[in-house]
Amino acid sequence: MGAIGGMGLSLISSGIGAFGAYQNAAASNRAASYNASVSEQNAKYAEARAQQAKIRGAFDLSLLRVDNKRALSSLAQGFANAGVETSSGSALNLLGEQHGMNIRGEQVQQYNTDMEVYGHMVEAENHRTAAAMARSSRTNPFMAGFTSLLGGFTQTYNQYSQYRMLTGASCSTSRNSCYL
Protein backbone atom coordinates (compact mmCIF):
# COMPACT_ATOMS: atom_id res chain seq x y z
CA MET A 1 0.00 0.00 0.00
CA GLY A 2 2.86 2.37 0.71
CA ALA A 3 3.46 5.34 2.91
CA ILE A 4 0.98 7.61 1.16
CA GLY A 5 -1.80 5.01 1.51
CA GLY A 6 -0.91 4.68 5.21
CA MET A 7 -1.22 8.43 5.63
CA GLY A 8 -4.60 8.31 3.88
CA LEU A 9 -5.75 5.65 6.31
CA SER A 10 -4.40 7.79 9.13
CA LEU A 11 -6.58 10.68 7.93
CA ILE A 12 -9.63 8.43 7.75
CA SER A 13 -8.83 7.14 11.22
CA SER A 14 -8.58 10.75 12.43
CA GLY A 15 -12.05 11.47 11.08
CA ILE A 16 -13.49 8.39 12.76
CA GLY A 17 -11.74 9.32 16.00
CA ALA A 18 -13.15 12.84 15.79
CA PHE A 19 -16.66 11.47 15.31
CA GLY A 20 -16.11 9.15 18.28
CA ALA A 21 -14.90 12.05 20.43
CA TYR A 22 -17.98 14.05 19.42
CA GLN A 23 -20.30 11.15 20.32
CA ASN A 24 -18.49 10.55 23.61
CA ALA A 25 -18.76 14.22 24.62
CA ALA A 26 -22.44 14.32 23.65
CA ALA A 27 -23.17 11.17 25.69
CA SER A 28 -21.19 12.57 28.61
CA ASN A 29 -23.24 15.77 28.43
CA ARG A 30 -26.50 13.84 28.48
CA ALA A 31 -25.31 11.90 31.53
CA ALA A 32 -24.22 15.13 33.26
CA SER A 33 -27.59 16.74 32.56
CA TYR A 34 -29.40 13.69 33.92
CA ASN A 35 -27.22 13.65 37.05
CA ALA A 36 -27.84 17.38 37.55
CA SER A 37 -31.61 16.92 37.30
CA VAL A 38 -31.51 13.99 39.77
CA SER A 39 -29.50 16.10 42.21
CA GLU A 40 -31.96 18.98 41.85
CA GLN A 41 -34.86 16.63 42.60
CA ASN A 42 -33.00 15.29 45.63
CA ALA A 43 -32.47 18.87 46.83
CA LYS A 44 -36.19 19.60 46.52
CA TYR A 45 -36.98 16.40 48.40
CA ALA A 46 -34.57 17.35 51.22
CA GLU A 47 -36.18 20.80 51.45
CA ALA A 48 -39.61 19.18 51.68
CA ARG A 49 -38.33 16.94 54.49
CA ALA A 50 -36.99 20.06 56.25
CA GLN A 51 -40.41 21.69 56.00
CA GLN A 52 -42.09 18.55 57.32
CA ALA A 53 -39.62 18.41 60.22
CA LYS A 54 -40.37 22.04 61.04
CA ILE A 55 -44.13 21.42 61.09
CA ARG A 56 -43.77 18.17 63.04
CA GLY A 57 -41.42 19.87 65.53
CA ALA A 58 -43.86 22.74 66.11
CA PHE A 59 -46.69 20.26 66.66
CA ASP A 60 -44.60 18.15 69.07
CA LEU A 61 -43.58 21.30 70.95
CA SER A 62 -47.18 22.39 71.32
CA LEU A 63 -48.09 18.92 72.68
CA LEU A 64 -45.15 19.07 75.09
CA ARG A 65 -46.27 22.48 76.34
CA VAL A 66 -49.78 21.16 76.96
CA ASP A 67 -48.35 18.15 78.81
CA ASN A 68 -46.05 20.40 80.84
CA LYS A 69 -48.92 22.67 81.87
CA ARG A 70 -51.00 19.65 82.75
CA ALA A 71 -48.18 18.16 84.86
CA LEU A 72 -47.57 21.47 86.65
CA SER A 73 -51.30 21.91 87.31
CA SER A 74 -51.56 18.34 88.53
CA LEU A 75 -48.64 18.89 90.91
CA ALA A 76 -50.19 22.12 92.23
CA GLN A 77 -53.58 20.39 92.57
CA GLY A 78 -51.96 17.53 94.48
CA PHE A 79 -50.39 20.00 96.89
CA ALA A 80 -53.69 21.83 97.31
CA ASN A 81 -55.59 18.57 97.94
CA ALA A 82 -53.03 17.63 100.59
CA GLY A 83 -53.51 21.00 102.26
CA VAL A 84 -50.00 22.22 101.39
CA GLU A 85 -49.61 25.98 100.92
CA THR A 86 -48.28 26.47 97.33
CA SER A 87 -47.58 30.20 97.51
CA SER A 88 -44.39 29.84 99.56
CA GLY A 89 -41.86 27.37 100.94
CA SER A 90 -40.89 23.94 99.59
CA ALA A 91 -44.05 23.49 97.51
CA LEU A 92 -43.39 26.75 95.67
CA ASN A 93 -39.77 25.71 95.15
CA LEU A 94 -40.88 22.35 93.74
CA LEU A 95 -43.36 24.04 91.41
CA GLY A 96 -40.63 26.46 90.29
CA GLU A 97 -38.18 23.61 89.65
CA GLN A 98 -40.80 21.68 87.72
CA HIS A 99 -41.56 24.76 85.63
CA GLY A 100 -37.82 25.22 84.94
CA MET A 101 -37.49 21.56 83.86
CA ASN A 102 -40.51 22.01 81.62
CA ILE A 103 -38.93 25.01 79.95
CA ARG A 104 -35.63 23.14 79.45
CA GLY A 105 -37.56 20.24 77.91
CA GLU A 106 -39.27 22.63 75.51
CA GLN A 107 -35.90 24.18 74.61
CA VAL A 108 -34.44 20.73 73.92
CA GLN A 109 -37.44 19.90 71.75
CA GLN A 110 -36.98 23.14 69.78
CA TYR A 111 -33.21 22.56 69.46
CA ASN A 112 -33.74 19.03 68.15
CA THR A 113 -36.23 20.31 65.60
CA ASP A 114 -33.86 23.08 64.52
CA MET A 115 -31.00 20.59 64.10
CA GLU A 116 -33.15 18.24 62.02
CA VAL A 117 -34.28 21.10 59.78
CA TYR A 118 -30.68 22.32 59.47
CA GLY A 119 -29.50 18.82 58.50
CA HIS A 120 -32.09 18.59 55.74
CA MET A 121 -31.20 22.06 54.45
CA VAL A 122 -27.48 21.17 54.37
CA GLU A 123 -28.37 18.00 52.48
CA ALA A 124 -30.37 20.08 49.98
CA GLU A 125 -27.43 22.44 49.51
CA ASN A 126 -25.09 19.49 48.96
CA HIS A 127 -27.41 18.16 46.26
CA ARG A 128 -27.53 21.57 44.60
CA THR A 129 -23.72 21.72 44.63
CA ALA A 130 -23.59 18.25 43.06
CA ALA A 131 -26.01 19.45 40.37
CA ALA A 132 -23.84 22.49 39.64
CA MET A 133 -20.74 20.31 39.43
CA ALA A 134 -22.49 17.93 37.04
CA ARG A 135 -23.53 20.83 34.84
CA SER A 136 -20.02 22.30 34.86
CA SER A 137 -18.50 18.96 33.76
CA ARG A 138 -20.17 19.19 30.37
CA THR A 139 -17.96 19.73 27.33
CA ASN A 140 -18.66 21.03 23.84
CA PRO A 141 -18.97 17.99 21.55
CA PHE A 142 -17.94 20.00 18.50
CA MET A 143 -14.80 21.18 20.27
CA ALA A 144 -14.01 17.61 21.37
CA GLY A 145 -14.41 16.36 17.79
CA PHE A 146 -12.39 19.25 16.36
CA THR A 147 -9.59 18.76 18.88
CA SER A 148 -9.42 15.05 18.06
CA LEU A 149 -9.44 15.80 14.34
CA LEU A 150 -6.74 18.42 14.72
CA GLY A 151 -4.59 15.97 16.66
CA GLY A 152 -5.04 13.35 13.93
CA PHE A 153 -4.16 15.82 11.19
CA THR A 154 -1.09 16.93 13.11
CA GLN A 155 0.05 13.33 13.51
CA THR A 156 -0.55 12.64 9.80
CA TYR A 157 1.36 15.80 8.83
CA ASN A 158 4.26 14.69 11.02
CA GLN A 159 4.23 11.32 9.26
CA TYR A 160 4.21 13.07 5.92
CA SER A 161 7.12 15.32 6.95
CA GLN A 162 9.15 12.30 8.02
CA TYR A 163 8.29 10.57 4.76
CA ARG A 164 9.48 13.58 2.76
CA MET A 165 12.73 13.77 4.69
CA LEU A 166 13.44 10.06 4.20
CA THR A 167 12.50 9.89 0.52
CA GLY A 168 13.41 13.35 -0.66
CA ALA A 169 9.89 13.84 -2.04
CA SER A 170 8.76 17.39 -2.67
CA CYS A 171 5.42 18.97 -3.29
CA SER A 172 4.54 21.81 -5.49
CA THR A 173 1.87 23.94 -3.92
CA SER A 174 1.08 25.64 -7.19
CA ARG A 175 0.22 22.37 -8.95
CA ASN A 176 -0.93 20.37 -5.91
CA SER A 177 1.26 17.45 -6.87
CA CYS A 178 4.09 15.55 -5.22
CA TYR A 179 7.27 14.29 -6.89
CA LEU A 180 9.49 11.50 -5.76
Side-chain angles (χ1 to χ4, degrees), residues 54-69:
K54 191 182 293 186
I55 292 168
R56 185 180 59 250
F59 180 74
D60 290 347
L61 183 59
S62 69
L63 290 178
L64 181 61
R65 286 180 175 149
V66 168
D67 287 345
N68 287 344
K69 286 178 185 177

Side-chain angles (χ1 to χ4, degrees), residues 75-140:
L75 184 61
Q77 184 65 41
F79 285 147
N81 289 345
V84 176
E85 176 61 41
T86 59
S87 61
S88 65
S90 297
L92 181 61
N93 290 342
L94 284 175
L95 288 173
E97 286 178 24
Q98 181 63 45
H99 180 68
M101 288 190 309
N102 290 350
I103 289 175
R104 281 189 291 281
E106 292 169 10
Q107 289 170 338
V108 167
Q109 173 64 39
Q110 184 63 53
Y111 176 79
N112 290 340
T113 298
D114 291 346
M115 288 296 99
E116 184 180 357
V117 169
Y118 177 75
H120 291 305
M121 295 307 290
V122 167
E123 182 184 357
E125 189 59 34
N126 288 342
H127 286 301
R128 288 230 159 70
T129 300
M133 289 177 67
R135 281 191 291 275
S136 71
S137 72
R138 296 184 300 195
T139 58
N140 184 336

Side-chain angles (χ1 to χ4, degrees), residues 6-8 10-11 14 151-161:
M7 284 184 267
S10 181
L11 287 174
S14 296
F153 284 157
T154 301
Q155 185 178 12
T156 303
Y157 180 75
N158 287 338
Q159 290 173 351
Y160 170 73
S161 296

Side-chain angles (χ1 to χ4, degrees), residues 7-26:
M7 284 184 267
L9 288 177
S10 181
L11 287 174
I12 292 171
S13 173
S14 296
I16 292 170
F19 181 71
Y22 170 86
Q23 292 291 11
N24 187 31

